[in-house]
Amino acid sequence: DTGVSQNPRHKITKRGQNVTFRCDPISEHNRLYWYRQTLGQGPEFLTYFQNEAQLEKSRLLSDRFSAERPKGSFSTLEIQRTEQGDSAMYLCASSFNPGQGRTEAFFGQGTRLTVV
Amino acid sequence: ILNVEQSPQSLHVQEGDSTNFTCSFPSSNFYALHWYRWETAKSPEALFVMTLNGDEKKKGRISATLNTKEGYSYLYIKGSQPEDSATYLCAFENNAGNMLTFGGGTRLMVKP
């Protein structure tokens, strides 16, 4: 297991189309996060999972966005009816949080979405 | 909304120069401050996770300090090299421990 893997690396889609991204976290990590990064900004939190449970969801995440993590392993992020403002880098990260203390989050290389 | 700010936004230095940048964050509900290094076309890479006021961490030529009472952290790079060129991100973790709130990053460019 070499790290967090995201697919695809790049996606170009027409406005109005649906897109789905996948994230495979480091296998023993129980937490999985999705972030979005636009040009000139730091990553913005979208949502996170503890195992298969989606525990928090940002107000940035409109109804067109949905994320799942079935079986607590890989996760998918779907954007329905894409808009040009959805164009961004979508980053996935995972960490192991044993309940006490904190560990660092490991990031994937991201999926760059361009909506035309 | 938590306010995590980094300055400067970008920095150009010559090879061999030492440099530093700042991350400011809320001083309440603090749990940890993370520093990441993000090179183009790569994943953000964790540099430090700092939890104690007054803590100082070092990795090679890079070091960081933490002041949780006033809500700031400094990242120092001694003798910058072209391979240090990257965006340096800090992230605040509150004591609920749910997520990291990132600053906007400092983009460092080191000229040979």
Side-chain angles (χ1 to χ4, degrees):
Chain A
D1 191 347
T2 55
V4 179
S5 175
Q6 290 188 247
N7 288 289
R9 293 287 308 279
H10 303 273
K11 178 72 178 178
I12 299 174
T13 191
K14 289 186 179 178
R15 193 174 51 184
Q17 298 293 304
N18 299 343
V19 293
T20 301
F21 313 140
R22 177 177 169 129
C23 172
D24 287 90
I26 293 172
S27 57
E28 63 268 23
H29 284 185
N30 56 351
R31 283 202 173 179
L32 187 148
Y33 308 82
W34 284 99
Y35 285 83
R36 179 174 68 188
Q37 191 248 354
T38 53
L39 200 62
Q41 305 293 318
E44 296 173 298
F45 170 77
L46 293 178
T47 188
Y48 95 98
F49 293 83
Q50 174 104 353
N51 300 313
E52 66 275 10
Q54 188 174 18
L55 295 187
E56 191 160 341
K57 194 172 168 180
S58 165
R59 283 171 290 179
L60 293 173
L61 223 60
S62 75
D63 291 343
R64 296 183 297 105
F65 288 71
S66 61
E68 293 183 342
R69 193 184 182 198
K71 302 177 185 176
S73 55
F74 72 92
S75 176
T76 56
L77 179 69
E78 181 183 14
I79 309 174
Q80 296 182 323
R81 305 181 303 281
T82 51
E83 300 172 358
Q84 286 187 318
D86 298 331
S87 297
M89 173 76 84
Y90 290 83
L91 288 165
C92 174
S94 70
S95 68
F96 176 65
N97 291 78
Q100 287 185 357
R102 297 287 186 267
T103 59
E104 66 196 61
F106 292 81
F107 281 84
Q109 290 182 287
T111 294
R112 182 167 292 286
L113 174 67
T114 303
V115 181
V116 298
Chain B
I1 296 176
L2 297 174
N3 209 21
V4 180
E5 296 191 353
Q6 292 186 246
S7 63
Q9 280 191 323
S10 65
L11 195 54
H12 295 248
V13 301
Q14 287 294 135
E15 182 175 356
D17 287 351
S18 293
T19 186
N20 66 85
F21 9 102
T22 306
C23 172
S24 63
F25 53 86
S27 54
S28 58
N29 301 318
F30 174 87
Y31 189 89
L33 194 282
H34 300 241
W35 279 101
Y36 284 85
R37 180 171 177 272
W38 193 5
E39 288 182 78
T40 304
K42 294 187 178 179
S43 313
E45 173 197 357
L47 290 173
F48 306 114
V49 181
M50 307 176 79
T51 56
L52 297 175
N53 184 43
D55 205 4
E56 182 169 343
K57 295 212 172 183
K58 190 173 180 181
K59 185 185 281 191
R61 294 179 291 100
I62 304 177
S63 60
T65 60
L66 180 68
N67 183 324
T68 60
K69 293 184 178 178
E70 294 180 45
Y72 65 83
S73 176
Y74 294 135
L75 188 80
Y76 300 90
I77 302 178
K78 186 177 177 182
S80 304
Q81 299 296 307
E83 58 265 30
D84 295 330
S85 297
T87 296
Y88 291 83
L89 294 164
C90 70
F92 169 82
E93 183 178 3
N94 66 16
N95 52 18
N98 296 338
M99 64 182 185
L100 299 176
T101 301
F102 282 85
T106 293
R107 188 176 173 206
L108 174 68
M109 282 153 282
V110 183
K111 298 177 191 174

